[in-house]
Amino acid sequence: MTISRRTLLGSSLIAPALLRPAFAADPTKVAFVYVAPIGDAGWTFQHELGRRAMDAALGTAVKSSFVENVEEGADSERVIRQLATSGNQMIFTTSFGYMNPTLKVAQAFPKVHFAHATGYKRAANVSTYSARFYEGRYLAGVIAGRMSKSGVIGYVAAFPIPEVVQGINATLLGAQSVNPKATVKVVWTSSWFDPGKERAAADTLIAQGADFITHHTDSTAVAQAGEEKGVYTVGYNSDMSKYGPKTCLTAVTMVWDQYYINTVKAAIAGTWKSDDVWGGIGQGMVKLAKLNPAVPGNVAAEIATKTADIAAGKLHPFAGPITGQDGKIKVAAGASLADKDIAAMNWFVAGVQGKI
Amino acid sequence: MPDPGIILAILVATLRAATPLVLAGLGELVTERSGVLNLGIEGMMLVGAAVGFMATVVTGNPALGMIAAMLAGAAMALVFGFLTLSLLANQVATGLALTIFGIGLSALLGVDYQSHPITGLATVISPHLSEASPAVQQLLLIDPLVMVAVVAPFLVHWYLTRARGGLVLRAVGESHDVAFALGYPVIRIRYFAVMFGGAMSGLAGSYLSLAYTPMWTENMVAGRGWIALALVVFSTWKPIMLALGALLFGFVTIAQFQVEALGIDIPPQLLATLPYLATIAVLVLISRDTTRTKLNAPAALGRSFHPST
C-alpha cells in the first residue's frame, strides 16, 4: 500500500499496529471486556478461565489483555473503542449489554474482529457466541426432581430475558421428567450482582417452602443461604461447592476455553469469519460441576446417562409435549422447539410460579 | 391468612435487610449534624467489609473482625477529615473521591480473600442453626449486629438531644462561627463526628461480609451506602425516622420477594421499583413541612471552617 500523508494521518489515529509490517514474531493482540470484577466464581470468572486457557494453548503467538468491571452501555463503547484503537486484532465482548456498542465500534474498525457473547446481532466483522445453558439446567432440574421432598424448587433470577427464562423452564422440565408434580417459584432481583438481595431472595423462597434452590445471578450468596439453612442448592456459572460443602449439589458451569482457542487460532491464521456459535453439553461449552456426595449413586448414574443422551442429541430438553403457563400447548408431542424459538423464549411452562 | 412462619420470616428478613442501612445511616447522620457532608459511605463500607472479613479469616474471631472493620472505616474517614477539615478541600468532591478510592482499595486488599468461605455470624453463635426448626432458625438469625441496629437509633437520638456532647456537636453543625466564638473546638468535634461516621460505615460493611452474606467479593455493598445517604436527608436528620425509613425500605424489598414467591400477579419490574417509591413517598410525607425540614437541616452542612474566616 502506498502511504500518503492522509492515510498515514488517518491510520495513525485508528490502528498504528496495522501499519507495522507483520513480522511472524509479532504476537496477535487479543482483548476481553468483562462486565464484573473477575473474582473467584461467576460469569466473568469463567471467561477469564477461557482467556487463560487460550493464552496457555497459543503461547507467544498471542498477547491478550482484559478490562474488567466495564458497565454496559455508553461506558463500554469507550472501552471497546480504546481497545480497537490500541491495536487489538480480536476483541471479545462478554456481556449482553455490549451488543450495540460492539456493533458501533466494529463499524468504525472493519479490520478488527469482534465476538460478542449472548447477543443476536452480527456483522461482517462481528460474531456472536453463546452456550446452551439450558441443557445443563435440565440436568440440574432432574437432580432437583429427585432430591426435593416438597417438589417446590426456588429460583433466584435476575431479569426476565430469554436466556434466564430458558433456564427456568429447562429446570422445571428436568424436574418434571422425574417428578410430574414439581413446581418452580421464581423471584426476581433486578440485578445480576447484589449478594445481599440474592441472599434475601433465597431466604424468602426457603421460608415459603422451597427445599431446593438454584439461581441465575452472579454471586455465591444463594449457595451460602442453602448451606446455612440446610437446603440443597445448585450453583451457576462456576463450581460453588466450597460455599456449600454439604448442600451445594452441583453447578451448571460454562467452559469457554475451546471456543476462545479456536477463534483466536482462526484470527491468527486469517481464516476468521463472522459466525454464530451456540454450543452445549455436546461441544463441552456447558458442564455440570462435580456432584456432591449427597447425591445418591442411582441419581448420579441417571445424570450420567442423560448427559450422554443430551450430548448425542437423543434427549432434547425442550421436546414436546410442553404446556405453557397459560394452559396452551407450546410444543406438540413428538416435536421439539426450534433454536430460533428457544433463543426468543418469553413464556413459562406450566408449573412455573412467576411472571415475565 | 398467611401462615405465622412466613410473617416471622418477613419480620426477621426486614430487620436484617435494614441493619446495614441503619448502621451506616446513623454514622452519616452524626457526621452531617456536625456540619460535614461525607459522600464516601459506600467506599468506607466496602473497606469495612473487606477488612472485617480479612481480620475474621486471620483471627477466626468475628468480634475482632468487626473491631477491625470499624477501625478501617474510621481510618478512611480520617483521610477524608484531614483533607476537608485541615486542608479545607471541597467536601462533595473529596467524599466522591473517597468512594472511588474505597472501591479500588477494598478490591486490592481483598483480592486473596475472595475464595475463603467463612461461617456466618449467626452460625458462629448457634452452631446447630441448619438443623433447627424453621421458626427457631429465624430467631437465631437475629444476630448481635441486628440488635445493635435496633438499639443504636435510640442512643444516637438521646445523645443528640439530651447529652451535652451531642448538643455541642449540633451547635457546631448549625453555626461553626458561633460555636467557635463560644470556645468550642470546632475542628476537633468535626473530626470526632467524621470518624464516628467512618466507624459506623465500617461496621455496616462488616455486617454484610460477616453476617448477611458471609463472604468477600468486590463491590458487594452494591449501592447500600448511597441508600443510607439518601435516608439521612429524607429522615430530616432524625435518627429514629432514619431507622423507620431503613425498615420500610427493607420491608418493601423483602415483601417484593414474598409477593413473587406467593405467585401474586404483579409485573416484576414494578415490584423492583417499589422499595424506592415507597421510601420516597413516606419520607416526603414526613418532611412535607418545609420550614421544619429547614430547621432540622444543619445550617453549616458542607461548609468548610477555618478560625480565621
Side-chain angles (χ1 to χ4, degrees), chain A residues 48-272:
Chain A
E48 170 66 7
L49 290 183
R51 185 189 71 84
R52 289 180 200 161
M54 186 271 295
D55 258 2
L58 302 180
T60 53
V62 298
K63 189 168 178 293
S64 71
S65 61
F66 61 84
V67 186
E68 58 180 334
N69 218 356
V70 178
E71 256 189 67
E72 298 182 331
D75 202 35
S76 65
E77 187 185 325
R78 184 180 56 74
V79 172
I80 299 166
R81 191 175 293 277
Q82 175 64 36
L83 289 170
T85 312
S86 53
N88 287 293
Q89 284 121 295
M90 176 86 231
I91 297 174
F92 294 97
T93 54
T94 64
S95 188
F96 180 78
Y98 299 150
M99 181 160 70
N100 291 329
T102 304
L103 284 155
K104 230 167 136 183
V105 178
Q107 216 167 22
F109 295 87
K111 290 199 175 138
V112 180
H113 307 318
F114 294 84
H116 173 235
T118 68
Y120 55 84
K121 292 186 190 166
R122 281 167 287 280
N125 61 335
V126 182
S127 285
T128 52
Y129 63 106
S130 187
R132 296 175 188 271
F133 316 114
Y134 64 85
E135 295 185 348
R137 291 288 192 186
Y138 182 87
L139 295 170
V142 174
I143 300 177
R146 290 283 183 217
M147 303 294 288
S148 163
K149 287 196 190 79
S150 65
V152 181
I153 302 162
Y155 209 115
V156 179
F159 294 101
I161 61 168
E163 185 191 322
V164 177
V165 174
Q166 290 159 17
I168 294 169
N169 285 339
T171 301
L172 181 58
L173 291 170
Q176 286 177 341
S177 74
V178 293
N179 173 8
K181 290 207 186 94
T183 55
V184 166
K185 277 180 193 274
V186 184
V187 296
W188 304 100
T189 58
S190 302
S191 159
W192 289 116
F193 180 82
D194 183 338
K197 256 185 152 180
E198 291 165 36
R199 173 65 203 247
D203 286 351
T204 303
L205 288 164
I206 293 169
Q208 291 209 4
D211 64 353
F212 196 105
I213 312 272
T214 185
H215 61 107
H216 197 138
T217 47
D218 258 1
S219 88
T220 53
V222 171
Q224 281 187 317
E227 186 72 9
E228 207 162 295
K229 300 202 163 169
V231 170
Y232 288 136
T233 57
V234 166
Y236 188 58
N237 286 321
S238 303
D239 187 352
M240 295 176 173
S241 54
K242 65 184 163 202
Y243 295 94
K246 281 187 274 185
T247 52
C248 188
L249 298 183
T250 182
V252 178
T253 69
M254 268 54 98
V255 184
W256 306 105
D257 306 20
Q258 202 53 47
Y259 173 76
Y260 286 146
I261 294 170
N262 294 346
T263 310
V264 174
K265 264 189 187 161
I268 294 171
T271 56
W272 186 93

Side-chain angles (χ1 to χ4, degrees), chain A residues 37 39-40 185-188 190 193-197 199-201 204 207-208 220-221 224 228-230 242-243 353 355, chain B residues 9 114-115 117 123 129-130 137 141 212-215 217-219 222 224 254 256-258 260-263 265 268 272:
Chain A
D40 73 330
K185 277 180 193 274
V186 184
V187 296
W188 304 100
S190 302
F193 180 82
D194 183 338
K197 256 185 152 180
R199 173 65 203 247
T204 303
Q208 291 209 4
T220 53
Q224 281 187 317
E228 207 162 295
K229 300 202 163 169
K242 65 184 163 202
Y243 295 94
Q353 197 186 82
K355 197 176 155 67
Chain B
Q114 298 200 93
S115 35
T123 314
L129 180 71
S130 65
Q137 240 179 21
L141 283 173
Y212 202 50
T213 49
M215 62 171 156
T217 99
E218 263 179 63
N219 234 340
R224 285 178 181 73
I254 301 302
Q256 174 213 330
F257 295 141
Q258 295 286 352
E260 285 172 358
L262 282 170
D265 209 8

Side-chain angles (χ1 to χ4, degrees), chain B residues 126-137:
Chain B
S126 31
H128 299 294
L129 180 71
S130 65
E131 292 137 39
S133 72
V136 176
Q137 240 179 21

Side-chain angles (χ1 to χ4, degrees), chain A residues 194 196-197 199-200 203, chain B residues 9-27 41 45 141-153 200-201 203-205 207-208 211-213 221 223-225 227-229 231-232 239-255 257 275 279:
Chain A
D194 183 338
K197 256 185 152 180
R199 173 65 203 247
D203 286 351
Chain B
I10 293 178
L11 290 177
V12 173
T14 300
L15 273 177
R16 281 164 57 87
T19 295
L21 301 176
V22 171
L23 294 175
L26 284 178
I41 310 175
M45 283 177 80
L141 283 173
I142 304 176
D143 55 56
L145 275 179
V146 176
M147 294 178 207
V148 169
V150 170
V151 178
M200 291 297 277
S201 285
L203 188 65
Y207 174 74
L208 291 173
Y212 202 50
T213 49
V221 174
R224 285 178 181 73
I227 292 168
L229 180 79
L231 285 171
V232 173
I240 292 169
M241 286 297 180
L242 174 103
L244 291 178
L247 281 173
L248 179 76
F249 188 86
F251 171 74
V252 183
T253 310
I254 301 302
F257 295 141
T279 311

